[in-house]
Amino acid sequence: MNPTAPLLGVNIDHVASLRQARYRGGLHPTDFAEPDPARAVHEAELGGADIITVHLREDRRHINDRDVEVIRPLTRMRLNLEMGATEEMLGIARKLHVHMCTLVPEGRQEVTTEGGLDVIGQLARLKTMVAKLKDPAGHSGGGMTVSAFIDADVRQIEACRSAGFDACEIHTGPYANAFAASGGDALRPALAAEIARLADACHAVRAMGMRLHAGHGLNYTNVAHVARIPGMTELHIGHSIVARGIYVGLRQAVADMKLTISRA
Ligand code: PXP
């Protein structure tokens, strides 16, 4: 393994999505409802995950409150809570002492997170929220690392710095779409343009002194271009790993992704 490769955050939301496909009416903590995302934490850890990510959505459509409460003490690596920028989520993140949280926009109708957070449009509110999340008082880990999921846009990155975020997670969805449309041919103008846009945004994040994360739509074939961006510290990946896990097991799927990133 390459020790300078970005860390891998494994998003296990879709383990809960599969459970909810059957147990839509909600579940009591003692119900036998599978697959249990808490078990996925263990498998991801054995596969070499560096970070576990769960997104507690406002409508609790996949991960629910019980999941986060059970997963927090089970997670021996970092737990990253993805959440909307609301007072309710702030309370949960602080109560559970999660290590890190990533603020994302939330639209009730979207299947998954579709666009980056508009930090410019809610700068004052986010500044207050970030300060509360980073406050070391009463947090066993000395405060959370706070990241914003944003589009590859230098103005949003500047706003993140003003708001006090520790990290920016650059939205790689448009890159992933261009990769698929171009068959992965980086000489095709559409894909070349997306790679250049990502590189510029990532450079800006580092130049402004924040940690550099990226995620959304990354898979085993498209991850290499993103993994080799200078200064990339974390990649956050869910769907492709859980999908591969159906065939090869989650532990193996995580290990395969670790190796793919390491080789990039
Ligand atoms: N990062 C963020 C902020 C996300 O919202 C998601 C999707 O939940 C991911 C990364 C992972 O995206 P994917 O499931 O496409 O790998």
Side-chain angles (χ1 to χ4, degrees), residues 4-130:
T4 61
L7 300 178
L8 173 60
V10 177
N11 181 316
I12 56 170
D13 291 349
H14 293 314
V15 175
S17 300
L18 181 55
R19 176 189 63 195
Q20 296 312 111
R22 171 148 297 199
Y23 298 92
R24 235 179 253 292
L27 73 163
H28 186 269
T30 57
D31 281 353
F32 176 74
E34 56 184 15
D36 189 335
R39 289 183 186 236
V41 171
H42 183 64
E43 288 301 306
E45 186 179 74
L46 289 173
D50 301 292
I51 299 151
I52 295 291
T53 296
V54 289
H55 184 176
L56 186 63
R57 297 187 76 109
E58 195 188 342
D59 61 7
R60 310 304 198 256
R61 77 173 64 153
H62 37 51
I63 294 289
N64 60 35
D65 298 74
R66 168 268 178 198
D67 295 330
V68 189
E69 278 166 28
V70 171
I71 286 169
R72 170 64 187 89
L74 283 180
T75 309
R76 279 177 281 175
M77 65 290 269
R78 262 188 286 156
L79 179 64
N80 171 33
L81 182 65
E82 258 183 42
M83 56 187 231
T86 66
E87 287 300 318
E88 184 201 12
M89 291 300 156
L90 178 113
I92 293 170
R94 283 197 59 82
K95 185 181 88 179
L96 296 178
H97 294 204
V98 299
H99 307 98
M100 171 175 158
C101 64
T102 301
L103 300 188
V104 300
E106 262 195 32
R108 280 169 189 250
Q109 301 311 321
E110 65 188 12
V111 175
T112 179
T113 312
E114 279 165 8
L117 186 69
D118 178 18
V119 181
I120 299 169
Q122 42 185 339
L123 188 57
R125 199 173 77 75
L126 289 176
K127 203 170 192 165
T128 309
M129 188 151 186
V130 171

Side-chain angles (χ1 to χ4, degrees), residues 164-252:
F165 283 98
D166 300 297
C168 292
E169 179 176 333
I170 301 295
H171 189 345
T172 48
Y175 155 77
N177 291 340
F179 189 99
S182 311
D185 181 353
L187 296 177
R188 298 279 288 270
L191 180 54
E194 282 302 333
I195 292 173
R197 205 160 78 90
L198 273 185
D200 288 349
C202 291
H203 180 264
V205 173
R206 293 186 61 217
M208 291 184 215
M210 292 177 283
R211 295 194 205 181
L212 176 59
H213 305 171
H216 202 89
L218 296 178
N219 60 35
Y220 297 83
T221 50
N222 69 20
V223 75
H225 286 296
V226 183
R228 62 172 85 103
I229 292 175
M232 185 60 71
T233 46
E234 292 175 16
L235 297 175
H236 291 271
I237 308 178
H239 186 93
S240 63
I241 294 177
V242 174
R244 179 178 287 222
I246 289 170
Y247 307 112
V248 304
L250 189 59
R251 189 185 310 183
Q252 185 63 49

